[in-house]
Amino acid sequence: MALSILNEDENAIRDAILDLVRKTIAKRSQEFDEKAIFPRENIELLGQQGYLGMIVDPRWGGSGATYLAQTMVVEAIAAADPATAVIYEVHNSLHIEGIWRFGTEEQKKRYLPDLCRGQAIGAFAITEAESGSNAASMRTRAVKKSDGYHLSGRKMFITSAGEAERYIVFATVDPAFEEKGITAFIVPKTAKGLAFGPPEDKLGIRASRTSEMILDDVVVPMEDRLGAEGEGYPIALYLLDGGRIGIAAQSVGIMTTALERSLAYARERKQFGKAIGQFEGVQWRLADMATDLHAARLMTYEAARRREEGEGQRPLFAMAKLFASEKAVKHAIDAIQIFGGYGYMREYGVERLLRDAKVTEIYEGTSEIMRLVIASRLLKEYDLGNI
Ligand SMILES: Cc1cc2nc3c(=O)[nH]c(=O)nc-3n(C[C@H](O)[C@H](O)[C@H](O)COP(=O)(O)OP(=O)(O)OC[C@H]3O[C@@H](n4cnc5c(N)ncnc54)[C@H](O)[C@@H]3O)c2cc1C
């Protein structure tokens, strides 16, 4: 069904990606989750079909689509496979967009085409063991020498680490400069001195790989610095703004599946001689789920549209992520409740919604950090996107 908030092209993209996901990604999603298989084939497929680097100019291998179109693709993928959705989201919003917006012509020419085709996967490394929500306190050092910058340190919880061919790594040229010392670099997987920890054993999104990155005197040539020295922090914040819209979309995808599965079960499961969907207690839960889903989707799409308008919209992105992620966790619990005992069993695949949803409240900024972002702007000016 066409959505009125989308233009004709976006509705066509939505129909096409939903169809592709149903016929391909959805089929092996449960197996990949159970066996923690990294879904590289999904990323390759999305590249072949033109869904990677969608907002990038076709000159560099993208499709010149709107930010909202790319956001809907995250949502559609997440409805079937939240693990592929986060790999996709990091690849596009945190890596490709970083090179496209902040890279030199030479970097775009060298790096964007294979990322947009799905022949290389991109990752983003800012978090460290002692530096999570407060990313500006990072310790990974970049020391400038005649042959380039020498990077040493450890990055924690990096999506696709060990699988991705390239990494945008943030390091400080001097911790005393705090955020003004942070600088971004493009580092290939094959760089000498770069090693990866084993895959983390996670609660959910188990098919995505999350690992530590160990940088031991990794030499990055001058031409692979991304942006100017000391400008890495605003670059990270800009990219994370987009990433948060992507995580909101991932949450909306999970909510969609929670509602669809719950509705189907409420129609089919009979107790006391009727389908459980005939009971008011179940109906109210379904009605609330549908209402929240609609609100979360509109907030996410609105945030994606605002992303195209430029600066000053950060609290709206935070609101979309905060609302959608917290509702995704709640709806996963609601779906389990509607399924009763069957919801608690792995076989029915509803418990996975909860395992996959939980992380949306944590990565790319926790719910607490989203509230800080919103409140700090509110206290400065009430006019948040004219609420
Ligand atoms: C599966 C997964 C994939 C990830 N992928 C990546 C990736 O690709 N790249 C990357 O760089 N990072 C990645 N991360 C890291 C992620 O972004 C961080 O885990 C997240 O930002 C939180 O940081 P932390 O874990 O250090 O928690 P902390 O910052 O230590 O927070 C712990 C708790 O304290 C709260 N807290 C902290 N500060 C405040 C405050 N000022 N006010 C109120 N509460 C506060 C937090 O909200 C949280 O509840 C990933 C994490 C996970 C789990």
Side-chain angles (χ1 to χ4, degrees), residues 60-122:
W60 306 113
S63 3
T66 62
Y67 206 85
L68 179 48
Q70 184 169 285
T71 301
M72 281 175 340
V73 173
V74 180
E75 177 191 338
I77 298 168
D81 188 19
T84 297
V86 73
I87 299 165
Y88 175 91
E89 195 276 318
V90 169
H91 177 80
N92 285 294
S93 302
L94 300 186
H95 190 100
I96 290 184
E97 192 171 347
I99 293 172
W100 186 49
R101 297 240 182 251
F102 302 102
T104 60
E105 289 287 292
E106 183 51 33
Q107 287 170 341
K108 292 180 202 177
K109 194 164 139 199
R110 203 160 0 123
Y111 296 130
L112 288 176
D114 66 352
L115 291 163
C116 290
R117 280 195 298 265
Q119 289 163 346
I121 292 179

Side-chain angles (χ1 to χ4, degrees), residues 94-95 98-99 102-103 107 123-126 138 140-142 149 151 155 167-173 179-187 220-237 239:
L94 300 186
H95 190 100
I99 293 172
F102 302 102
Q107 287 170 341
F124 176 94
I126 192 163
M138 69 176 62
T140 297
R141 287 297 301 266
Y149 289 85
L151 269 53
K155 294 288 175 186
Y167 300 79
I168 294 180
V169 176
F170 295 85
T172 176
V173 291
E179 52 186 68
K180 294 205 164 54
I182 295 172
T183 308
F185 301 93
I186 304 168
V187 180
V220 181
M222 293 296 175
E223 63 266 24
D224 279 341
R225 189 185 66 206
L226 184 66
E229 190 175 293
E231 282 184 7
Y233 197 64
I235 290 177
L237 291 187
L239 296 175

Side-chain angles (χ1 to χ4, degrees), residues 86 90 94 123-134 155-160 170 202 204-205 208-210 240 359 361-369 372:
V86 73
V90 169
L94 300 186
F124 176 94
I126 192 163
T127 305
E128 300 179 1
E130 304 295 331
S131 162
S133 298
N134 181 13
K155 294 288 175 186
M156 195 76 176
F157 299 149
I158 306 307
T159 297
S160 302
F170 295 85
K202 302 194 294 294
I205 54 164
S208 73
R209 178 166 168 184
T210 314
L240 284 166
V359 74
E361 295 180 319
I362 297 172
Y363 54 24
E364 303 201 21
T366 63
S367 288
E368 290 75 17
I369 298 302
L372 284 183

Side-chain angles (χ1 to χ4, degrees), residues 131-362:
S131 162
S133 298
N134 181 13
S137 66
M138 69 176 62
R139 293 274 158 228
T140 297
R141 287 297 301 266
V143 178
K144 198 173 182 176
K145 296 192 180 169
S146 59
D147 56 348
Y149 289 85
H150 288 230
L151 269 53
S152 292
R154 297 169 92 94
K155 294 288 175 186
M156 195 76 176
F157 299 149
I158 306 307
T159 297
S160 302
E163 293 286 347
E165 279 72 24
R166 283 195 288 278
Y167 300 79
I168 294 180
V169 176
F170 295 85
T172 176
V173 291
D174 187 343
F177 296 168
E178 299 184 342
E179 52 186 68
K180 294 205 164 54
I182 295 172
T183 308
F185 301 93
I186 304 168
V187 180
K189 180 183 179 181
T190 50
K192 193 161 167 276
L194 178 61
F196 302 96
E200 300 288 350
D201 189 8
K202 302 194 294 294
L203 174 71
I205 54 164
R206 291 181 61 79
S208 73
R209 178 166 168 184
T210 314
S211 288
E212 192 179 10
M213 275 179 82
I214 302 121
L215 299 110
D216 180 11
D217 200 31
V218 172
V219 181
V220 181
M222 293 296 175
E223 63 266 24
D224 279 341
R225 189 185 66 206
L226 184 66
E229 190 175 293
E231 282 184 7
Y233 197 64
I235 290 177
L237 291 187
Y238 179 86
L239 296 175
L240 284 166
D241 273 346
R244 287 167 186 169
I245 300 170
I247 302 305
Q250 185 189 26
S251 308
V252 172
I254 294 171
M255 290 163 83
T256 308
T257 301
L259 180 60
E260 283 176 5
R261 298 283 320 268
S262 299
L263 279 173
Y265 195 75
R267 287 195 190 102
E268 144 210 322
R269 173 73 176 170
K270 293 203 169 55
Q271 287 297 291
F272 300 98
K274 329 178 177 169
I276 59 167
Q278 301 289 313
F279 300 121
E280 255 187 4
V282 174
Q283 287 173 0
W284 289 359
R285 202 185 287 273
L286 291 169
D288 287 350
M289 288 168 80
T291 306
D292 287 343
L293 169 60
H294 187 54
R297 182 177 280 133
L298 291 180
M299 286 176 82
T300 303
Y301 287 10
E302 155 86 348
R305 281 262 191 264
R306 294 291 186 105
R307 174 75 168 168
E308 291 158 15
E309 287 168 17
E311 297 300 307
Q313 318 287 343
R314 179 161 297 147
L316 291 181
F317 309 153
M319 282 181 182
K321 180 183 186 282
L322 174 64
F323 185 80
S325 61
E326 293 196 344
K327 292 298 183 187
V329 173
K330 180 177 180 298
H331 289 199
I333 294 172
D334 285 338
I336 294 172
Q337 194 67 18
I338 288 172
F339 272 68
Y342 298 93
Y344 203 69
M345 304 300 154
R346 287 227 158 164
E347 189 187 340
Y348 287 78
V350 180
E351 53 76 48
R352 180 176 159 204
L353 293 171
L354 180 57
R355 290 192 289 105
D356 286 348
K358 182 57 202 168
V359 74
T360 64
E361 295 180 319
I362 297 172

